[in-house]
Amino acid sequence: MGDKLEKQRKALVERLSDYKYIRGPNASKIRNAMLKVKREDFVLPEHRFRAYEDTPLPIPSDATISAPHMHAIYLSAIDLRSGDSVLEIGAGSGILLVYVKEVVGSKGEVVGVEIVSEVYRFAKNNLEKSGYDKKIKIILGDGSKGVDKKKFDKILISATCPEIPKPLIERLKAGGMIVAPVGDPYGSQELICLEKTRQGKTISRRLGSVVFVPLRGKHGWR
Ligand code: SAH
């Protein structure tokens, strides 16, 4: 089964490159991360054989691990630099944190927040299984409020928000970037890339339509 999954992983990453989901100056690092990380370790055992279908799959609670092309879109949009500090709100399976860690390297700091305790335990277990538990921090709690007063170079929001939460914009360093789905959980959602200039001004770009589970918590849909 291992060999078969490895072949499927290679074929999927090739397709994501051909279709330009993996793109930009980090393309080769993103490709290497997606070739190295075993998606089968981040899905439920009963879905292992479907790990390399380019589709979201159910994980505990009502959450999903996003489709591989969506991970590629996030990783290509967020302009990761080696040594970046990166926060993900909505860790889910934990896989995006691991891809990010591979791209930002040993000097980078990667932190995930997950609000549902069952999903938090799933993510923690997946990180242990894949050997990333000492390299990535996961926190159980409401990420819409930010993490302490700490600021990050990049913030990934993996659940759809009514608007990008202000506390998260405040916790973005100047020159930093947020990628987040914005819109109705049952209606239309758009992926937004928000950049904070060196002067502290924010500029937003639309990256296209997406489908995500709702952001909960104080600045979510409750
Ligand atoms: N990148 C993840 C996405 C998981 S789905 C993956 O591919 O596996 C989004 C997750 O966001 C869900 O697990 C949900 O429980 C979580 N979530 C929703 N609102 C949250 C909040 N306010 N703080 C932290 N996590 C939240």
Side-chain angles (χ1 to χ4, degrees):
M1 177 129 172
D3 270 5
K4 196 167 169 194
L5 289 173
E6 189 166 343
K7 262 196 201 142
Q8 292 175 350
R9 187 182 321 124
K10 281 188 183 151
L12 172 67
V13 174
E14 203 127 302
R15 268 199 321 278
L16 295 176
S17 293
D18 288 350
Y19 292 163
K20 304 274 185 286
Y21 288 117
I22 298 176
R23 61 197 297 169
N26 274 329
S28 71
K29 283 188 181 169
I30 297 168
R31 208 163 24 237
N32 288 341
M34 295 189 87
L35 281 172
K36 181 172 170 188
V37 178
K38 297 184 166 127
R39 193 169 190 259
E40 62 268 32
D41 286 345
F42 296 82
V43 300
L44 294 169
E46 59 268 37
H47 293 133
R48 244 180 107 80
F49 73 101
R50 299 187 61 194
Y52 296 102
E53 287 178 22
D54 191 8
T55 180
L57 291 170
I59 58 174
S61 187
D62 282 330
T64 51
I65 176 172
S66 297
H69 76 269
M70 193 49 64
H71 290 143
I73 289 174
Y74 267 62
L75 293 163
S76 300
I78 197 79
D79 190 26
L80 294 170
R81 307 286 164 96
S82 80
D84 267 356
S85 56
V86 185
L87 174 69
E88 184 189 17
I89 310 304
S93 66
I95 195 168
L96 187 55
L97 295 165
V98 174
Y99 290 145
V100 167
K101 181 65 190 170
E102 283 296 316
V103 179
V104 299
S106 57
K107 295 209 171 65
E109 186 192 1
V110 182
V111 180
V113 188
E114 174 53 56
I115 199 167
V116 178
S117 53
E118 197 189 354
V119 183
Y120 164 79
R121 283 196 299 277
F122 179 68
K124 260 202 117 63
N125 188 39
N126 295 342
L127 292 185
E128 271 166 33
K129 235 185 344 191
S130 52
Y132 287 88
D133 51 315
K134 305 265 187 311
K135 300 178 184 164
I136 292 168
K137 185 172 171 189
I138 299 211
I139 298 165
L140 173 64
D142 175 9
S144 76
K145 300 187 285 190
V147 177
D148 308 322
K149 293 268 175 279
K150 197 174 156 43
K151 289 197 171 183
F152 291 84
D153 294 303
K154 310 283 160 60
I155 300 176
L156 302 168
I157 306 179
S158 294
T160 188
C161 355
E163 58 175 11
I164 298 183
K166 298 241 157 38
L168 294 177
I169 298 176
E170 284 161 14
R171 280 164 183 78
L172 190 63
K173 290 186 192 170
M177 203 183 268
I178 297 181
V179 172
V182 176
D184 192 318
Y186 305 103
S188 80
Q189 307 170 16
E190 189 126 33
L191 196 64
I192 302 292
C193 176
L194 178 148
E195 285 186 63
K196 196 184 254 188
T197 64
R198 299 266 163 218
Q199 293 71 35
K201 222 178 87 184
T202 60
I203 303 166
S204 296
R205 281 184 297 132
R206 293 160 176 245
L207 302 180
S209 295
V210 288
V211 180
F212 276 85
V213 300
L215 185 78
R216 309 187 196 182
K218 185 156 182 230
H219 300 275
W221 295 94
R222 282 161 227 233

